Structure formats: C-alpha cells, structure tokens
Amino acid sequence: MSMYGRDPWGGPLEINTADSATDDDRSRNLNDLDRAALSRPLDETQQSWLLGPTEQKKKKKYVDLGCIIVSSKIFWWTVIVVAGAGVLAGLIAVLVKFVPHHHDHKPTPDNYTAALTTALKFFNAQRSGKLPKHNNISWRGNSCTKDGDPSGQFKDLAGGYYDAGDAIKFNFPQSYAMTMLSWSVIEYSAKYEASGELNHVKEIIKWGTDYFLKTFNHTADTINVLVSQVGSGDTSGGMSTPNDHYCWTRPEDIDYERPVATCSSCSDLAAEMAAALASASIVFKDNKAYSQKLVHGARTLFKFSRDQRGRYSASSTEASQFYNSTSYWDEFLWAGTWLYYATGNNTYLQLATTNGIARHAGAFWGGPDYGVFSWDNKLIGAQVLLSRLRLFLSPGYPYEEILRTFHNQTSIVMCSYLPYFTSFNRTKGGLIQLNHGRPQPLQYVVNSAFLAAVYSDYLDAADTPGWYCGPNFYSTKILREFAKTQQIDYILGKNPRKMSYVVGFGNHYPRHVHHRGASIPKNKVKYSCKGGWKWRDTKKPNPNKLVGAMVAGPDRHDGFHDVRTNYNYTEPTLAGNAGLVAALVALSGEGDSNIDKNTIFSAVPPMFPTPPPPPAPWKP
C-alpha cells in the first residue's frame, strides 16, 4: 500500500521521496568544483598531462637485475617498503602478545535509552498475582492471588497491576497506562528493539491485557457489567475495617478481604478499556489468535460503553475520590480512533469524526486545561492520532473538514507548549505547569513531552518542516527541544535541585518513596495492618529500591520534600510512568527520530477516492 503525505501548502506528496538535492544544488556543487580546480596549483603529474612530448623529462636511471631491468627509483622504494613491512609485522606480533585483550563492548546508550531501561522496571515492581520467574525484583513475590468474587461472576481476578503506592487495582488509569505503552510500541518498535526492551515492554502490556480480559465476559458480543476496581481505599467511614489505605502492608502479606467493584453504566471506563485492547491488538498482530481475542473484547466493551451511558465515577465514592472522570465523550473519540486503526472498519472512523461527539468532548473551545493529556482527558491524544491519519492517508471527503479541524487544534496545542506563549506558567527551573501549580505535576509533563515528540516525528515523516503559530513558523526541532531539554531533562536531573525524579537514575534521587512494598523490609516478618505504620513513619530511607519509579514531582517553586508520608511529592503512579516510558522511547536514539509510518495502518484498507459514474453511452 503506497503511503502519501499531505503537503500543508497544497497537494499530496509521496513519503518515500527520491534524492532531495535540487538542480540548483547540483549546479552549485559543480561550480564549486570548477573554481576549486582552477584555484589550486597543479602538481608535477598534472603538469605532465599538459606538456607536449618534447617538453617532458626523458632522463631516467635503471638498475639491471639480470633477468629484468627496472627503474632505480622503483627498486629502492621496493627495498624500503619490504624492509618497513617486516619491521612493522614484528612490532605488531610483539604488541599482540603482550598487550591485554579486551572484549568489544556495546556503545554507551544515550541518556534517554538508559532511563527507558530503568523506567520499565517499575512495572515489574507493580505486578499483582503469581509473578513470572524472571520478574527480577528481588523484594517482590506472589500477592493477592485470590482476588475475585467467589460467589459472583468474576471469580478469578488475579493479575494486573497495583496502581501506585498501595495495592488497589483501578481499571481506569491502568487501561490508560496500557494504551500509552501500546501506542509507544506501535510508533517506536525499532527503538525498543535497539535498546533490547521490545520483548520486555510487550510482556508488560500483555500482563495488563490478560487481566482486563478477566474483568468482563470477553467471549460475549454484548455485556451489561464489568469490573472497575479490586481493593478498597476509602477511609471516610472510619478505620475499623482493614483496607488498602488504612493498612501499611506489603502486598505479599495482605490477608484481609479485598472487595470487587463493578459497574453497569460506565461509558468512560469501558471505552478506555476498549482503547487498551484495540491498541494492544496492533502490538500483537503477529500473534493472530491473541490479537483477534483483543479486538473482539474491544468491540464488546465499546458497544457496552455506547449502549449504557454514564460516568463510572458517578456511582462510586472510591472512584470519584481517587480517579474521578469528568466526561466520557473524549473516551468515545479515543476508543473510536483506536478501534478504527485496529479493525479498518469505517463505522468507527465515522463515529470518531462526528461533529457532535467532538463538540461534547470540548474539541472546539479552549479553557484552562485544553491540551492537557491525562488519564482523565484523552481529547488531544485522539486529535494527534487523527492528525496522523490526515498527514499520511489523506482520506478526503467526508472526513476532511473535521480532520482539518483536529489538525488545526493539534497545532494550537503544540503552540501552547512552547515557552514563547503564556498558556501555561513555568517554574523558575523551566518545568511547564500543565496542572496550574497543583500537586503531582510530572505525569502531565511526560504526556505532553510524548505528544510533542511524536507529533514532530509525524511532521518530519510527512516532509513538513514545521507548523504555524499565528504568523510565526516554528520548525519541528523546536518541539523536540521542548520535550527534551525543557522537560524530560528536568525530570532526569537538570533542575534547580540537581535531583533525578526517577528512582535509580543518576546518583541523587528520592529515597523515601511513598510505597508500601518498597518501604517494608523483606525479612520474613509479617507486619500487621497497623504494625507497618512504623515503616511508613520512619525517617530512614526505603530498604527496597523502587527502581524506575517517577515520583509525583516538585511544587511550583521547584521545591521537593523527600518525605514518605507526603504522597503529593513522593508517590509514583502507573499512568505517570507509562507517559514517562513513552516520552523516553520517543526521544531515545541519538539524532534518530523515525516513527514506524505503516504498522498502525496495517488493518486500514487502501483509501481511494470514489470514482465518478461512467459517462452515458454515446448516441448518434
């Protein structure tokens, strides 16, 4: 399938361009060569080409070797060369014998690749259920293997990921995290491969999607209920009943009952889970049976989300307390786009480009949080994905008008990220305040860094040098500069505190992370619900290093308190780390910004314009 890009100044352009040098460039190069040749003094050989036969020197000396007569100059040069070669060979032999041997080492990875390998380890530490033998986190073990409702529909809910520093499994942010990881693999599988992490990240995604398939009837075409959460953290009713917030306990030692929350009108949750399964189906497209299972599950979830409308957090105190969803319209756009890419079914594209849904999702107006990509708001993520469709496949009528609007809105959001504009404040150290100075800023920063990097790669792949912000034109390099030096480098240590906010990266990073498993030693002592409080409150560093965890982050004054009890500074989350991984892989590879242009479109049929009807038969 040939891929065509869109030239923003009009007309299609082919992505696989030929030689980029123009005729003017070539003629300029030839002129440069001519001038260089004329300005340089000619050597003796070149002069001899210009001399007549009578002008050349004829005097030569020869050496008679008996069987052959050779020039004396050639003879002596030969003697010198042979003698020199002998001496050199002897010297090399001596060096080989006495110099110690070294094995070849791989080149040192760049900062972002090194940080990527570190960040992925966080997901291994967050695994629930029976762990694989190669999980490589020495202080983690099997935990919560009996999750589920023995008397209900969902008997086996073991697996999946703990959300943050506790042992609750929230499907809403967890499915968003898996979608982000899948998107990053689809775009940058070659970079994951180069870093040696492709199989690892795919295994991380599959651990999540295998769990999601347990949380609803994935073999059915229609469902009326799904699991939204396992575990409990609500302490508003007092602290008489042990739960995952009241107790400070290693997940391996949990022995209290863990409730299972379900929902029957949860459009936002079901659509986000559909997006996770649809995007993962593209990641696993080479495993046909598993990929088809994921696609079927995604279709079923999306149908449920459309049929039984409602916000999942409207009927749940816990969901509204920890991960309150403000709307489900953005999830309709997001999931519809992913299902279109996963299936090629135009029904999903028609839905994702419906003007009314886009309007309800807030696509045509600003507001303080416009352009802020998060587990709650996927609007800008969907707009970037649909801009990709316009840039590379240019589907035309009837989609062009709304896709052009999404493309323009994406451009506006990218402008708002730049330091030349005042949409968002920055700390003195340069960290963009996408959540307007509220706590836990880093999860929003890494998401915007990923979007900026991937969108700049889209433009580069479509041979588009940049984009306009009002009358000013900015190159794609400006966007990568925003993602790299202004944001991700800040998180990795280039900030006023000279501190890395990713545990285990660099020498100076948080040591008191708000995390039960990391803060309690693995010493064969089972601490009770309250018995673990002493580990929560101690000022000693965590006995277990939560490698790869990106903490919540600094305040709006670049200040940071490495205090375990203050989760606004020191608690990591699944959603935050997924954005970090996506941003790091997008920026990894020195000077290499190539995306995989075609894999995301592998299920999309060729887009040819509808041919006009044939002319009426000619009548004399």
Side-chain angles (χ1 to χ4, degrees):
M1 177 170 60
S2 63
M3 294 291 173
Y4 289 89
R6 166 172 298 277
D7 183 338
W9 296 285
L13 53 90
E14 194 159 351
I15 289 171
N16 297 321
T17 54
D19 182 7
S20 62
T22 62
D23 290 339
D24 285 348
D25 291 335
R26 294 191 187 93
S27 63
R28 195 180 304 118
N29 291 342
L30 288 173
N31 291 338
D32 291 345
L33 286 172
D34 291 342
R35 283 197 298 275
L38 292 173
S39 64
R40 189 174 67 244
L42 301 175
D43 62 26
E44 185 177 334
T45 307
Q46 291 166 325
Q47 287 173 7
S48 72
W49 299 340
L50 305 176
L51 295 173
T54 57
E55 297 171 293
Q56 294 184 30
K57 295 179 182 178
K58 296 178 182 178
K59 187 178 180 181
K60 287 187 177 181
K61 294 181 180 179
Y62 300 96
V63 175
D64 188 347
L65 298 177
C67 58
I68 190 170
I69 298 172
V70 298
S71 162
S72 59
K73 184 183 281 189
I74 292 175
F75 172 76
W76 288 112
W77 270 112
T78 304
V79 170
I80 292 167
V81 168
V82 170
V87 172
L88 187 61
L91 189 61
I92 289 171
V94 171
L95 288 171
V96 167
K97 187 171 183 178
F98 291 104
V99 173
H101 290 239
H102 292 283
H103 296 290
D104 289 338
H105 293 287
K106 289 182 179 178
T108 305
D110 64 87
N111 232 21
Y112 306 114
T113 305
L116 171 68
T117 300
T118 303
L120 283 167
K121 292 177 182 173
F122 172 74
F123 292 91
N124 294 39
Q126 294 301 103
R127 279 182 173 157
S128 179
K130 186 177 179 181
L131 302 183
K133 290 180 180 178
H134 57 276
N135 198 51
N136 295 335
I137 306 294
S138 62
W139 47 274
R140 282 303 323 276
N142 299 339
S143 62
C144 299
T145 54
K146 294 181 180 178
D147 275 354
D149 182 1
S151 59
Q153 179 181 344
F154 304 103
K155 293 179 174 60
D156 175 18
L157 292 174
Y161 291 96
Y162 301 127
D163 175 65
D166 50 43
I168 304 176
K169 297 189 290 197
F170 291 105
N171 277 21
F172 194 47
Q174 185 177 170
S175 48
Y176 168 77
M178 295 303 111
T179 310
M180 287 295 287
L181 292 180
S182 291
W183 188 4
S184 73
V185 172
I186 292 164
E187 302 288 10
Y188 299 109
S189 60
K191 289 187 175 188
Y192 276 115
E193 184 79 69
S195 68
E197 294 290 349
L198 182 59
N199 289 336
H200 184 199
V201 72
K202 288 173 76 170
E203 184 193 340
I204 288 169
I205 294 166
K206 191 171 186 296
W207 191 267
T209 52
D210 283 351
Y211 169 71
F212 294 146
L213 292 173
K214 293 180 175 185
T215 61
F216 69 103
N217 185 358
H218 70 268
T219 58
D221 293 329
T222 303
I223 59 172
N224 56 20
V225 65
L226 61 80
V227 173
S228 60
Q229 178 181 330
V230 177
S232 173
D234 185 13
T235 56
S236 60
M239 296 189 177
S240 56
T241 306
N243 73 18
D244 296 291
H245 269 196
Y246 171 60
C247 299
W248 195 268
T249 309
R250 293 176 72 240
E252 290 81 356
D253 294 336
I254 288 176
D255 55 7
Y256 50 81
E257 187 180 340
R258 283 161 59 81
V260 173
T262 59
C263 62
S264 55
S265 59
C266 37
S267 300
D268 35 20
L269 172 60
E272 183 54 66
M273 289 174 65
L277 298 188
S279 56
S281 76
I282 303 173
V283 170
F284 295 107
K285 67 185 180 66
D286 294 336
N287 182 347
K288 196 170 182 182
Y290 189 64
S291 182
Q292 287 177 343
K293 183 190 285 189
L294 294 176
V295 167
H296 183 269
R299 287 179 182 272
T300 299
L301 284 165
F302 195 59
K303 182 178 186 300
F304 170 63
S305 79
R306 297 280 295 151
D307 290 347
Q308 295 178 225
R309 301 287 179 91
R311 287 189 305 115
Y312 95 105
S313 53
S315 58
S316 167
T317 309
E318 294 232 344
S320 61
Q321 185 178 345
F322 297 110
Y323 285 100
N324 185 48
S325 172
T326 52
S327 157
Y328 51 71
W329 298 101
D330 54 309
E331 278 84 17
F332 283 167
L333 279 181
W334 177 241
T337 303
W338 278 118
L339 271 160
Y340 173 64
Y341 285 147
T343 65
N345 186 332
N346 273 354
T347 306
Y348 295 115
L349 180 59
Q350 288 163 9
L351 185 141
T353 54
T354 300
N355 204 296
I357 292 177
R359 189 174 64 254
H360 282 303
F364 310 127
W365 57 278
D369 295 323
Y370 189 74
V372 180
F373 188 35
S374 73
W375 53 263
D376 180 32
N377 191 351
K378 290 93 184 186
L379 171 62
I380 180 58
Q383 289 177 323
V384 168
L385 276 173
L386 290 167
S387 297
R388 190 193 209 286
L389 181 69
R390 183 173 187 253
L391 279 164
F392 296 134
L393 295 192
S394 190
Y397 182 83
Y399 309 110
E400 169 58 18
E401 185 177 351
I402 186 78
L403 289 182
R404 185 174 69 243
T405 301
F406 286 151
H407 196 167
N408 289 340
Q409 294 293 311
T410 299
S411 296
I412 291 168
V413 169
M414 294 301 154
C415 297
S416 76
Y417 292 162
L418 301 184
Y420 318 109
F421 302 94
T422 57
S423 305
F424 300 102
N425 292 328
R426 280 167 166 73
T427 67
K428 287 184 179 178
L431 188 72
I432 191 169
Q433 296 290 282
L434 292 159
N435 62 339
H436 306 289
R438 295 189 291 269
Q440 307 171 25
L442 295 188
Q443 58 178 312
Y444 307 101
V445 172
V446 291
N447 289 342
S448 68
F450 170 69
L451 290 184
V454 78
Y455 186 65
S456 74
D457 287 347
Y458 289 172
L459 294 179
D460 286 343
D463 288 337
T464 305
W467 83 112
Y468 278 97
C469 296
N472 300 317
F473 185 81
Y474 294 96
S475 79
T476 54
K477 290 179 182 177
I478 299 287
L479 267 184
R480 290 186 76 79
E481 191 72 12
F482 158 76
K484 274 187 176 181
T485 59
Q486 294 166 25
Q487 303 308 320
I488 298 300
D489 285 356
Y490 180 106
I491 293 169
L492 297 181
K494 290 186 178 177
N495 54 62
R497 296 183 65 87
K498 303 290 186 287
M499 179 180 203
S500 164
Y501 291 107
V502 179
V503 176
F505 187 81
N507 298 319
H508 183 35
Y509 50 80
R511 308 279 174 168
H512 303 79
V513 179
H514 181 98
H515 192 275
R516 286 156 179 77
S519 65
I520 301 175
K522 183 183 180 182
N523 57 6
K524 296 184 180 178
V525 176
K526 183 176 179 179
Y527 296 96
S528 67
C529 183
K530 292 181 181 179
W533 288 1
K534 71 174 184 179
W535 297 109
R536 178 194 66 189
D537 300 332
T538 180
K539 293 183 179 178
K540 293 180 180 178
N542 287 351
N544 307 313
K545 190 187 293 185
L546 188 62
V547 174
M550 181 185 75
V551 295
D555 58 32
R556 57 184 172 176
H557 305 295
D558 298 305
F560 181 80
H561 299 293
D562 190 6
V563 178
R564 191 178 297 106
T565 50
N566 193 332
Y567 57 84
N568 279 333
Y569 287 110
T570 58
E571 186 169 24
T573 64
L574 214 59
N577 256 68
L580 172 68
V581 165
L584 288 171
V585 74
L587 298 173
S588 68
E590 292 291 352
D592 182 11
S593 61
N594 295 330
I595 53 159
D596 179 339
K597 292 193 286 285
N598 300 334
T599 293
I600 201 169
F601 299 132
S602 52
V604 175
M607 289 190 166
F608 301 114
T610 307
W618 181 78
K619 290 181 181 179

